[in-house]
Amino acid sequence: QVQLVESGGGLVQPGGSLRLSCTASGSILSVNDMAWYRQAPGKQRELVARITSWGSTNYVDSVKGRFTISRDNAENTVYLQMNSLKPEDTAVYYCRAKVDVVYNDVLYRDDDYWGQGTQVTVSS
């Protein structure tokens, strides 16, 4: 099976920066699309940023110019650099990955995995 482990959340003042990391481990053949989602209290989970295996990216409008998603394919890791943070960025941030895995000699393409979430709080 596959595990996604996130790190890097915390408390930061408005205007500050944080970098989130998420590493996939387990019986992985390849990691395809990776993404960061977030869910604020009382709101639906939303896609923040996505990156394909070849590095193409897209962002939700509210974070364009402030957040940057990147990945290290050798380490099966995705990052989210968050700058100029605002109170409205406060949420639990989740990593998601589509992974090709072999389990019991069966190939599963684009299996969907989520991390456990990491809290980001932007407050003075």
Side-chain angles (χ1 to χ4, degrees), residues 90-106:
T90 295
V92 178
Y93 284 70
Y94 297 90
C95 171
R96 182 183 189 184
K98 299 290 187 72
V99 182
D100 292 346
V101 299
V102 174
Y103 183 66
N104 287 340
D105 296 325
V106 177

Side-chain angles (χ1 to χ4, degrees), residues 27 52 116:
S27 304
T52 65
Q116 79 285 359

Side-chain angles (χ1 to χ4, degrees), residues 18-30:
L18 283 174
R19 189 174 88 147
L20 306 182
S21 300
C22 171
T23 298
S25 63
S27 304
I28 296 171
L29 280 184
S30 65

Side-chain angles (χ1 to χ4, degrees), residues 6-114:
E6 300 145 344
S7 62
L11 172 64
V12 64
Q13 292 187 341
S17 298
L18 283 174
R19 189 174 88 147
L20 306 182
S21 300
C22 171
T23 298
S25 63
S27 304
I28 296 171
L29 280 184
S30 65
V31 181
N32 305 320
D33 287 2
M34 303 186 82
W36 288 97
Y37 287 71
R38 66 186 179 186
Q39 187 166 21
K43 295 189 176 181
Q44 288 190 332
R45 190 174 297 189
E46 67 169 350
L47 174 65
V48 176
R50 185 179 71 98
I51 185 167
T52 65
S53 56
W54 58 90
S56 178
T57 60
N58 62 279
Y59 299 88
V60 67
D61 285 347
S62 60
V63 308
K64 286 180 180 177
R66 300 188 298 121
F67 290 11
T68 302
I69 189 170
S70 60
R71 63 189 289 167
D72 182 337
N73 289 333
E75 299 293 331
N76 291 332
T77 297
V78 63
Y79 304 97
L80 185 68
Q81 178 66 43
M82 304 184 293
N83 299 328
S84 302
L85 282 160
K86 303 176 181 180
E88 51 263 43
D89 295 317
T90 295
V92 178
Y93 284 70
Y94 297 90
C95 171
R96 182 183 189 184
K98 299 290 187 72
V99 182
D100 292 346
V101 299
V102 174
Y103 183 66
N104 287 340
D105 296 325
V106 177
L107 173 63
Y108 295 86
R109 294 195 181 276
D110 273 348
D111 238 18
D112 197 4
Y113 294 91
W114 290 83

